[in-house]
Amino acid sequence: MTSTGIRLHAPAPGWAIAADVVVVGSGVAGLTAALRCESAGLRTVVVTKARLDDGSTRWAQGGVAAALGEGDTPEQHLDDTLVAGAGLCDEEAVRILVTEGPDAVRRLIATGAHFDESTEGGLALTREGGHHRRRIAHAGGDATGAEISRALVEAVRARGLRTVENALVLDLLTDAEGRTAGVTLHVMGEGQHDGVGAVHAPAVVLATGGMGQVFSATTNPSVSTGDGVALALRAGAEVSDLEFVQFHPTVLFLGADAEGQQPLVSEAVRGEGAHLVDADGVRFMQGQHELAELAPRDIVAKAITRRMQEHGADHMYLDARQFGRTMWENRFPTILAACRAHGIDPVTEPVPVAPAAHYASGGVRTDAHGRTTVPGLYACGEVACTGVHGANRLASNSLLEGLVYAERIAADIAAAHTAGTLHARVPTPLPHPDHPRHPQHPLLPPETRLTIQRIMTEGAGVLRSADSLTRAADRLHRLHAEAREALHEHGKTSEPGVDTWEATNLLCVARVLVAAAARREETRGCHWREDHADRDDTTWRRHVVVRLNPVRTLAVHTTDTPEFPPTVHGAQPTHRPQEQ
């Protein structure tokens, strides 16, 4: 796959760092990859958009899923994952996850992560939606992500890895052969826009997290603006399954007009026995699925949405009053504090909840070693599409996927370095594009961010249709066309800076998401088309793959089978892509 030649409008790098590998992102996937690369003797640099401990990982409440309990097996974990994925999981990718997962968790514990223990002294395990066994290891009651982040950050600092914090990655650098040569980035200063530099390295690991900020209401932090997916698209990489955005069914409802990051009410609350009820106190998940409130997330989110429509309501309730004060304080202290901060006491009253954007099951397409369709570019964690999640992620598989595939990436980079197939020297990147043959992406005004979020929430949220997606696509296209016209006809674009780069990245991933959702004319997993209410395995047990053309149009195609084609560099799509 060749590069598009498109880069964000930005100053040329004014400084550079040399390394063997640069890891972009500091969640569980990024820091695990960095630690394993450093242990293999590779010069490793970690670049992160905020502080090391400020990504999505620390917000994870429920835990990490692995077959660690008595009577549980990787095969049972595999079965639950395949069911949740609604026919689109890559079975081999899932088998890797569930078989390598238990030891990966043990290595995380050896790194310094402390998980809650039962009264017998072993790990305290709980259940979440879609799991038939207790296999969710948790920490601090409902602060698992914070504990994992703490342990990994401490390990990174103890080993003296070079880190660049408060740095937004901009674009991939390539050499004359089209291989990865590092990244450009902007270190955020006190209102300055001239902090652009570069890390030159023959291997780049994208671990930038999700893109939840493309919607108005999300559980994702403000930094989750799809930067990794947008970078990969501009670099010529393929992305897949972006239509499968998981809306967490139980997010604390703060009002119909609430925007930005919303507090999550973990699925583990339902795992411990909480019930979903309507305003009349009637449970409505019984009879919907054999697991009732513990059905896979897409089923629960759809059931809540239907009940809201039936009652003309904008939220439902989660009732866990039976827990009592002691259990709330000991098992779910973070959620209890968040509810009380908003004037709700779950000890004495039901908690208002509604679905909100939570997790991108799709992303940059990779193989079993995290390799993308661009030589030298790897991806892991939420930014990647390994095939593990299919059409709907099984609860608490995300942290495990980050662990397992980050380790596999580090092993692949180390093996390539030893074999000499990874450049032994720091590559020389092509010059910064400063002439028409290397087009730069026009930048959007900062206020466009809110416009994009509202377009996406209205047209590509929990419930979608051909009409809603067409309207969303048209409005997004107008934003894109206006920015291009301003640059090409008038030589004007918004000033380079974090807010304009983020808005531009959000528009890029929004366009791809809507194009993929419009192409998939069925309901499957967390993709819900009200105009195509049924699952269609004959036509749509396939993956939607998208790439960006040099002229900034989208090439959309579907695979021939449920299996991904190899990430062979330069391979052509199995179907002729349709440009949009």
Side-chain angles (χ1 to χ4, degrees):
M1 188 65 65
T2 58
S3 171
T4 65
I6 302 170
R7 294 187 185 176
L8 289 174
H9 187 73
W15 50 271
I17 299 171
D20 295 318
V21 56
V22 54
V23 177
V24 186
S26 60
V28 61
L31 294 188
T32 298
L35 287 167
R36 299 295 180 266
C37 285
E38 188 271 342
S39 295
L42 298 168
R43 293 177 301 161
T44 305
V45 173
V46 177
V47 174
T48 187
K49 193 173 180 180
R51 299 186 305 274
L52 280 181
D53 61 352
D54 215 18
S56 292
T57 291
R58 74 182 182 96
W59 296 99
Q61 295 174 347
V64 54
L68 295 163
E70 184 177 353
D72 198 5
T73 64
E75 198 68 25
Q76 293 177 67
H77 190 182
L78 180 142
D79 289 342
D80 285 345
T81 301
L82 294 181
V83 169
L88 277 188
C89 295
D90 182 299
E91 186 166 342
E92 181 55 30
V94 178
R95 194 170 297 280
I96 289 169
L97 178 84
V98 299
T99 55
E100 298 182 10
D103 283 344
V105 173
R106 294 183 184 104
R107 284 188 288 273
L108 178 62
I109 293 171
T111 301
H114 302 294
F115 287 90
D116 296 338
E117 296 185 351
S118 66
T119 54
E120 293 79 22
L123 287 175
L125 301 174
T126 190
R127 280 181 66 197
E128 291 185 4
H131 293 273
H132 282 79
R133 283 192 175 273
R134 286 183 171 265
R135 65 167 66 97
I136 316 298
H138 49 84
D142 58 357
T144 309
E147 171 57 18
I148 290 174
S149 181
R150 179 206 61 78
L152 292 173
V153 168
E154 286 188 6
V156 164
R157 288 176 174 156
R159 296 187 194 179
L161 268 73
R162 185 163 190 175
T163 61
V164 184
E165 297 182 271
N166 300 305
L168 172 64
V169 67
L170 299 177
D171 281 300
L172 189 75
L173 294 170
T174 55
D175 64 13
E177 299 173 355
R179 289 189 54 90
T180 292
V183 292
T184 55
L185 61 149
H186 170 78
V187 179
M188 304 174 204
E190 294 294 328
Q192 298 180 13
H193 297 287
D194 57 357
V196 175
V199 181
H200 295 164
V204 171
V205 180
L206 291 179
T208 51
M211 55 183 194
Q213 288 291 323
V214 78
F215 293 98
S216 296
T218 177
T219 63
N220 288 195
S222 61
V223 295
S224 297
T225 51
D227 307 318
V229 171
L231 175 150
L233 283 162
R234 290 191 296 272
E238 292 181 348
V239 303
S240 185
D241 296 359
L242 226 62
E243 67 271 32
F244 297 118
V245 177
Q246 189 175 77
F247 285 76
H248 197 288
T250 54
V251 175
L252 186 62
F253 181 73
L254 301 181
D257 297 327
E259 295 181 324
Q261 186 178 9
Q262 315 285 303
L264 177 67
V265 182
S266 170
E267 203 153 287
V269 177
R270 281 175 281 137
E272 297 293 348
H275 299 150
L276 282 164
V277 299
D278 59 25
D280 298 321
V282 177
R283 289 181 66 183
F284 55 86
M285 282 305 303
Q286 291 175 310
Q288 299 273 350
H289 190 275
E290 60 165 332
L291 295 175
E293 277 87 359
L294 286 179
R297 288 180 177 174
D298 64 308
I299 293 172
V300 179
K302 290 171 186 175
I304 291 174
T305 302
R306 286 193 191 100
R307 196 71 163 194
M308 287 162 51
Q309 290 174 331
E310 291 168 1
H311 286 233
D314 49 19
H315 65 281
M316 289 286 114
Y317 294 91
L318 188 64
D319 193 350
R321 289 175 289 181
Q322 71 271 27
F323 287 3
R325 186 176 305 277
T326 300
M327 182 173 175
W328 267 109
E329 290 176 348
N330 294 332
R331 179 67 178 86
F332 301 110
T334 306
I335 299 170
L336 178 63
C339 288
R340 286 177 169 170
H342 291 283
I344 301 155
D345 188 353
V347 176
T348 60
E349 61 185 317
V351 178
V353 294
H358 181 57
Y359 189 89
S361 293
V364 185
R365 190 167 78 79
T366 74
D367 64 10
H369 301 281
R371 296 176 292 216
T372 74
T373 52
V374 174
L377 179 65
Y378 295 78
C380 57
E382 190 173 355
V383 71
C385 182
T386 63
V388 160
H389 303 308
N392 181 50
R393 174 178 67 96
L394 180 66
S396 287
N397 267 357
S398 51
L399 292 175
L400 190 71
E401 185 198 32
L403 283 172
V404 168
Y405 281 88
E407 291 187 341
R408 293 179 72 83
I409 285 173
D412 191 76
I413 294 173
H417 191 269
T418 300
T421 54
L422 188 72
H423 295 315
R425 58 177 177 77
V426 176
T428 301
L430 292 172
H432 185 73
D434 55 1
H435 50 78
R437 287 194 302 116
H438 297 280
Q440 293 198 27
H441 232 17
L443 302 180
L444 299 174
E447 59 270 19
T448 310
R449 177 171 178 153
L450 276 176
T451 303
I452 294 167
Q453 291 171 334
R454 290 167 182 168
I455 290 171
M456 294 298 290
T457 298
E458 292 170 12
V462 177
L463 189 57
R464 304 163 178 175
S465 68
D467 287 344
S468 75
L469 291 166
T470 298
R471 288 194 300 270
D474 289 345
R475 294 173 68 188
L476 294 172
H477 177 73
R478 284 199 296 272
L479 293 176
H480 179 68
E482 288 167 2
R484 288 186 63 185
E485 181 180 343
L487 178 63
H488 293 293
E489 294 188 15
H490 307 292
K492 297 179 180 179
T493 188
S494 294
E495 182 184 0
V498 173
D499 47 7
T500 56
W501 288 319
E502 285 184 335
T504 304
N505 285 338
L506 281 172
L507 178 61
C508 179
V509 297
R511 291 178 64 216
V512 175
L513 193 162
V514 168
R519 172 64 71 92
R520 182 172 293 281
E521 295 179 334
E522 65 159 354
T523 290
R524 181 186 297 270
C526 52
H527 173 65
W528 188 7
R529 288 283 298 263
E530 61 178 338
D531 54 341
H532 295 282
D534 297 323
R535 170 171 157 175
D536 178 3
D537 279 348
T538 301
T539 306
W540 287 109
R541 194 159 175 252
R542 307 284 189 271
H543 299 277
V544 178
V545 179
V546 185
R547 56 183 173 82
L548 183 65
N549 289 322
V551 291
R552 299 188 182 90
T553 57
L554 300 178
V556 185
H557 74 276
T558 56
T559 58
D560 285 330
T561 70
E563 289 70 44
F564 280 124
T567 55
V568 176
H569 305 130
Q572 296 301 309
T574 53
H575 284 170
R576 183 176 180 83
Q578 175 183 338
E579 294 190 0
Q580 297 186 13

